[in-house]
Amino acid sequence: MDSYSIKTLDELKEFLYRAMQLEHATIPPYLTALYSIKPGANQDATQVLRVIVVEEMLHLTIAANILNAIGGKPDLVRPDFVARYPAALPDGETDFKVGIQAFGREALATFLKIERPAQRPEHLVGKGLIYRKTPPDITALASHPRHEDFHFYSIGEFYSAIAEGIKYLEAEAHGAGTTIFTGDGSRQITSEYYYSGGGELFPVTDLKSALEAIELIIEQGEGDGGGIYEDDDHELAHYYRFEELVKGRYYQKGDQPGQPTGPHLQVDWEGAYPIKENLKVEDIFEGSELREAAIAFNTRYGEFLQLLTRAFNGQPSLLLEAVPMMFEFRNMILELIRNPLPKHPGKNGSPTYQIPGGIKQPAVTRQAEVNA
Amino acid sequence: MTSRFEPFLGLSAELTAFSHFDLLGTGLAETYLATLDKVVGGEITDALLAAFTALPPPESKARIQAVRTTILGNELLGDVARALIKLWYSGTWFELSSAWSERFGPRPANITFVVSPDAYIEGLLWKAIGAHPAGAKGQGFGSWAFPPKIPAFAPALDFQNLT
């Protein structure tokens, strides 16, 4: 066990909070790219992005379930919950940021990096975390709460650390005749409250279900051990779905990674509105309707996160109210994206995802540290 | 194109009582200008835009009066303006009356047609009544369990004065 391993329950809770933050952080980029596609264009890409964004919402909910299972309190309104874009993701050796941008080659290149398979190249196996100083204005996602400048190689590695932590702490608790799974079962989100949301949502109540939950997140994202398809339902992992778009060809059974041999598909690289990348409210001409609409969207999104927080803290039925809200977002985002950005010729508006109160705080004042 | 687009947007905002942002948010403004050109021709479209540009300054009583007399009450432009309102609200171009065609000459493209599937979906009427278009822009599973949201509109225009 190295010094980066999870050793306390509070630390595990902080990791799971960061897992939720990470899962959420993929949603604005995917959602924006999805809605940037012009009507009638890129139907394959639209389908891929829609499926993936819904699965990311599932992952967010699964992470909340695990956190609830060990007696934690999911908090989506904590000031640093929503990433400031562009945000840094676990990225191996090279610098890599995820931002808000229109659908296109650049966006797809980023999405492939988000979902890339977890395995390290041989020369990095067993080398520990990767050191890189994160500038203070950058949200470092899936980072280590105690070692902000040490990064996991991939999201898969981040989740493996969580899985190891759960196993370690549960074995320790078991030795003392108890368990870490002391959470109130009524706080679990199950399919009853979560309609058709990208996969099965099961309650997390013990070690087995917790590890299964983590496994599901990893499999849907990057595939199972480098495989193209998830084991159970022959569903293509996110990484390979995006790769199909880049390569203009579908995968079929028996294909090797990187070499799809199925039917061709069409991608219209011009078939998206030219939104300004990582737009901020401050960049939008003051007094313009676009600025008001961007602020209105942020406010509404903040209300949405409040609602989710309540739903994840004992009122799961509130999730039913979140559904129409998400459809409302679609309409609001489409309007922002179709409007030209004043004083930026050739560029269109975009949601900015600057959530009221969502200002990055110094990362050191975490509960895990206080209690350590 | 651009020199006509701004007046077209301004005219459309005046006629529909929706804001520029709302109109651009449909993604159809350019398509509708092209529709107007296609159906009634560039000359009449230009005459309509010129009539709009010549209106007295916004927010004056005289402006509303002028919209009525120089656009909606104008023999040539009135029917076209009303068809444009209906186009924005429903996504459908409604054929101009036979009286208009007899007076100003028939136009081959002047038939009732839906501009595009998106035009139907983005019709302002849905927004105006706080509903979603039947068969599109669904509001999500279980949304019918919640009360409808009727949007509040910023410009308090007096519709009676316009028609």
Side-chain angles (χ1 to χ4, degrees):
Chain A
M1 158 161 292
D2 60 45
S3 63
Y4 306 114
S5 309
I6 297 170
K7 295 189 196 70
T8 68
L9 195 58
D10 278 331
E11 203 178 3
L12 177 60
K13 286 176 185 169
E14 182 61 26
F15 261 86
L16 285 166
Y17 167 78
R18 288 180 182 221
M20 290 182 66
Q21 183 194 36
L22 165 70
E23 295 301 340
H24 172 268
T26 62
I27 293 172
Y30 289 158
L31 211 54
T32 311
L34 169 63
Y35 293 144
S36 75
I37 293 172
K38 287 182 176 171
N42 287 314
Q43 292 184 0
D44 294 298
T46 300
Q47 185 58 22
V48 165
L49 281 165
R50 181 174 294 134
V51 167
I52 290 176
V53 81
V54 169
E55 287 185 355
E56 299 298 347
M57 294 174 192
L58 176 75
H59 299 173
L60 172 66
T61 312
I62 290 173
N65 270 357
I66 306 174
L67 183 53
N68 266 322
I70 60 165
K73 289 191 171 59
D75 182 3
L76 294 80
V77 291
R78 203 161 104 176
D80 61 356
F81 182 77
V82 178
R84 183 188 153 83
Y85 294 97
L89 271 169
D91 54 348
E93 298 167 280
T94 49
D95 203 14
F96 147 52
K97 296 205 176 46
V98 55
I100 306 295
Q101 58 188 327
F103 173 77
R105 288 182 198 280
E106 229 177 283
L108 272 180
T110 307
F111 297 168
L112 277 169
K113 285 182 184 168
I114 297 176
E115 307 285 357
R116 73 168 173 189
Q119 281 156 354
R120 289 177 175 231
E122 233 166 71
H123 71 281
L124 285 176
V125 172
K127 287 273 169 67
L129 272 59
I130 292 151
Y131 176 79
R132 188 182 318 103
K133 189 102 186 117
T134 306
D137 59 334
I138 297 282
T139 312
L141 294 161
S143 56
H144 195 299
R146 272 188 289 116
H147 308 273
E148 289 286 336
D149 294 331
F150 285 87
H151 303 271
F152 291 97
Y153 181 78
S154 64
I155 294 171
E157 205 174 280
F158 169 75
Y159 275 111
S160 295
I162 293 178
E164 289 309 311
I166 291 174
K167 282 192 248 177
Y168 169 77
L169 290 170
E170 179 61 1
E172 203 182 48
H174 197 70
T178 173
T179 175
I180 60 167
F181 295 97
T182 57
D184 179 352
S186 71
R187 295 161 70 94
Q188 292 292 311
I189 310 294
T190 54
S191 295
E192 187 186 352
Y193 307 108
Y194 199 88
Y195 172 78
S196 186
E200 198 197 346
L201 200 47
F202 49 85
V204 175
T205 53
D206 55 12
L207 181 63
K208 185 168 174 287
S209 48
L211 295 179
E212 274 170 10
I214 290 173
E215 192 61 26
L216 189 137
I217 294 178
I218 295 177
E219 274 186 19
Q220 280 193 337
E222 52 202 34
D224 187 13
I228 304 175
Y229 289 92
E230 288 173 47
D231 256 358
D232 298 340
D233 41 8
H234 312 301
E235 196 187 333
L236 203 62
H238 294 182
Y239 181 84
Y240 299 103
R241 286 176 192 264
F242 285 136
E243 205 188 30
E244 285 179 332
L245 297 177
V246 174
K247 295 198 181 282
R249 201 150 186 187
Y250 284 109
Y251 275 105
Q252 57 187 3
K253 281 278 157 201
D255 281 350
Q256 292 303 307
Q259 292 165 330
T261 65
H264 290 273
L265 61 84
Q266 289 298 318
V267 178
D268 174 6
W269 298 109
E270 306 303 312
Y273 290 98
I275 70 175
K276 183 166 160 51
E277 215 171 305
N278 298 313
L279 182 69
K280 301 281 175 268
V281 167
E282 307 86 87
D283 303 332
I284 309 174
F285 183 59
E286 211 171 337
S288 65
E289 284 182 82
L290 184 67
R291 184 163 169 146
E292 281 171 38
I295 292 169
F297 172 79
N298 288 339
T299 305
R300 193 75 178 127
Y301 202 92
E303 289 166 6
F304 174 68
L305 293 177
Q306 283 172 14
L307 183 75
L308 288 189
T309 302
R310 284 162 61 208
F312 291 158
N313 282 277
Q315 299 180 70
S317 62
L318 287 177
L319 280 182
L320 300 176
E321 283 180 42
V323 175
M325 251 171 138
M326 289 187 282
F327 285 89
E328 200 183 320
F329 292 154
R330 173 196 56 198
N331 300 342
M332 293 176 107
I333 294 174
L334 283 176
E335 287 189 334
L336 288 167
I337 285 176
R338 287 171 180 166
N339 264 275
L341 187 60
K343 302 194 188 293
H344 290 81
K347 291 287 179 193
N348 279 23
S350 157
T352 70
Y353 303 98
Q354 291 159 289
I355 308 310
I359 305 149
K360 187 181 154 121
Q361 286 189 329
V364 282
T365 53
R366 299 279 186 258
Q367 198 183 1
E369 295 254 315
V370 175
N371 294 349
Chain B
M1 175 82 184
T2 35
S3 63
R4 302 169 79 226
F5 187 67
E6 273 308 314
F8 175 74
L9 206 56
L11 169 71
S12 297
E14 195 105 5
L15 291 177
T16 63
F18 275 90
S19 72
H20 286 220
F21 178 81
D22 288 324
L23 299 180
L24 291 166
T26 65
L28 288 158
E30 287 175 4
T31 306
Y32 287 165
L33 176 54
T35 302
L36 209 52
D37 278 336
K38 185 181 102 180
V39 177
V40 300
E43 271 181 43
I44 293 179
T45 304
D46 283 340
L48 183 59
L49 298 180
F52 168 74
T53 313
L55 288 175
E59 284 149 38
S60 68
K61 281 258 175 207
R63 185 175 177 96
I64 293 174
Q65 181 68 25
V67 168
R68 193 161 53 181
T69 53
T70 65
I71 297 178
L72 291 164
N74 179 287
E75 242 186 319
L76 171 68
L77 303 179
D79 281 1
V80 178
R82 276 183 283 276
L84 180 61
I85 296 173
K86 287 185 275 187
L87 177 62
W88 272 110
Y89 271 84
S90 68
T92 302
W93 176 268
F94 287 91
E95 187 180 338
L96 297 169
S97 67
S98 52
W100 189 91
S101 291
E102 277 165 28
R103 173 87 171 74
F104 300 105
R107 299 285 189 287
N110 178 31
I111 48 164
T112 297
F113 66 100
V114 180
V115 169
S116 74
D118 307 315
Y120 161 74
I121 293 169
E122 298 297 340
L124 296 177
L125 86 94
W126 308 112
K127 203 166 184 172
I129 65 175
H132 68 102
K137 280 197 174 179
Q139 292 169 305
F141 175 78
S143 55
W144 30 260
F146 303 105
K149 277 188 205 146
I150 310 294
F153 289 109
L157 270 183
D158 188 344
F159 287 94
Q160 284 186 333
N161 276 345
L162 275 176
T163 49

